[in-house]
Amino acid sequence: MPTFYFATTNLSVDGTIDAASMDFLQRFGLIIMPKIQGPNTRNLTDPARPTPGCCAEDRIGRAAAFIKKHHHNRDVRVLMYISSCRMFPYYRLTRQFEEADMLHHSNGSTFTETVGGPGQQWYYSYHTADFTQKVVTAKYLQAVRETLTQHKATIDGVFADSSGDLRVAGGANMHLDQTPEFEAAWDVGHAEMLTQLQAVVTEVLGP
């Protein structure tokens, strides 16, 4: 019996999930809800496809509520997917940050990564949080705290992706120009944030 599923659903604007998707989700006792839930969440930066993307947290909350109501297993658990460092444009969390809160190259320019291209299914740009700054950690944790408080009846926890060191989290194609000392400081700050994130989840949702 499968134990969990990473679920992108056909969530409608009225907060319902189609019968076929819901029937499939009945197989799983733990469901992780990523950023793509329903229409109008892709291609946020493509001028040819202007779509309102905010906010993934609300879409995940609505999907989780529907799953909890219609799942055969009343003990089903639903986790919200977030990146532990990438500031995807789908999330309200991202809107709490300013450019100064993001990673910069050693020459001072903002580090930006782009997925896809014009007209492609996936096309968006994102920044990465600079966890050498304590204020960035505080903003990140507060945004998660507010989301969990708002949706505590339906969201049971978080799945924090990209939780490794900077080069692990960024992947092999991460073209950040920074000093080894800066990268080491980021790794320490990121690890401290993750420890505090666990405490926030317990604080809001209980042990």
Side-chain angles (χ1 to χ4, degrees):
M1 172 66 74
T3 56
F4 76 92
Y5 182 65
F6 197 75
T8 296
T9 69
N10 294 318
L11 181 72
S12 68
V13 292
D14 64 357
T16 61
I17 297 173
D18 65 281
S21 296
M22 192 63 228
D23 184 61
F24 179 77
L25 291 174
Q26 300 287 358
R27 308 178 188 184
F28 307 96
L30 176 63
I31 300 171
I32 301 169
M33 307 300 293
K35 52 190 175 291
I36 305 302
Q37 302 297 330
N40 299 328
T41 56
R42 299 178 180 177
N43 307 294
L44 298 186
T45 60
D46 188 346
R49 297 181 176 182
T51 56
C54 198
C55 292
E57 296 94 331
D58 299 331
R59 294 170 186 263
I60 291 171
R62 290 198 299 272
F66 188 88
I67 290 170
K68 291 279 185 88
K69 182 177 180 180
H70 296 280
H71 204 285
H72 298 327
N73 180 3
R74 294 307 178 190
D75 293 323
V76 64
R77 294 292 181 264
V78 181
L79 304 184
M80 176 181 68
Y81 171 97
I82 54 175
S83 174
S84 69
C85 58
R86 292 184 174 101
M87 296 294 102
F88 292 123
Y90 305 93
Y91 286 86
R92 181 178 293 107
L93 180 152
T94 298
R95 302 187 179 195
Q96 313 307 310
F97 292 89
E98 301 173 3
E99 185 176 353
D101 300 323
M102 302 303 179
L103 277 184
H104 288 70
H105 296 289
S106 56
N107 65 6
S109 61
T110 305
F111 172 68
T112 304
E113 293 187 88
T114 299
V115 176
Q120 295 183 7
Q121 182 181 25
W122 297 100
Y123 180 33
Y124 60 90
S125 297
Y126 63 87
H127 301 298
T128 300
D130 180 3
F131 287 113
T132 67
Q133 303 181 57
K134 298 293 186 183
V135 66
V136 173
T137 293
K139 288 182 178 181
Y140 185 97
L141 295 174
Q142 182 59 26
V144 174
R145 179 183 289 106
E146 291 174 358
T147 295
L148 292 180
T149 300
Q150 179 182 355
H151 298 288
K152 66 185 303 181
T154 54
I155 294 177
D156 299 299
V158 300
F159 177 90
D161 199 7
S162 303
S163 295
D165 292 347
L166 182 56
R167 290 294 170 178
V168 175
N173 296 320
M174 185 178 190
H175 304 296
L176 174 68
D177 177 18
Q178 262 297 349
T179 65
E181 293 78 14
F182 178 91
E183 293 186 19
W186 189 94
D187 292 344
V188 170
H190 187 226
E192 290 176 350
M193 182 280 293
L194 290 170
T195 298
Q196 294 176 56
L197 176 61
Q198 291 178 311
V200 167
V201 172
T202 301
E203 167 197 326
V204 177
L205 302 178

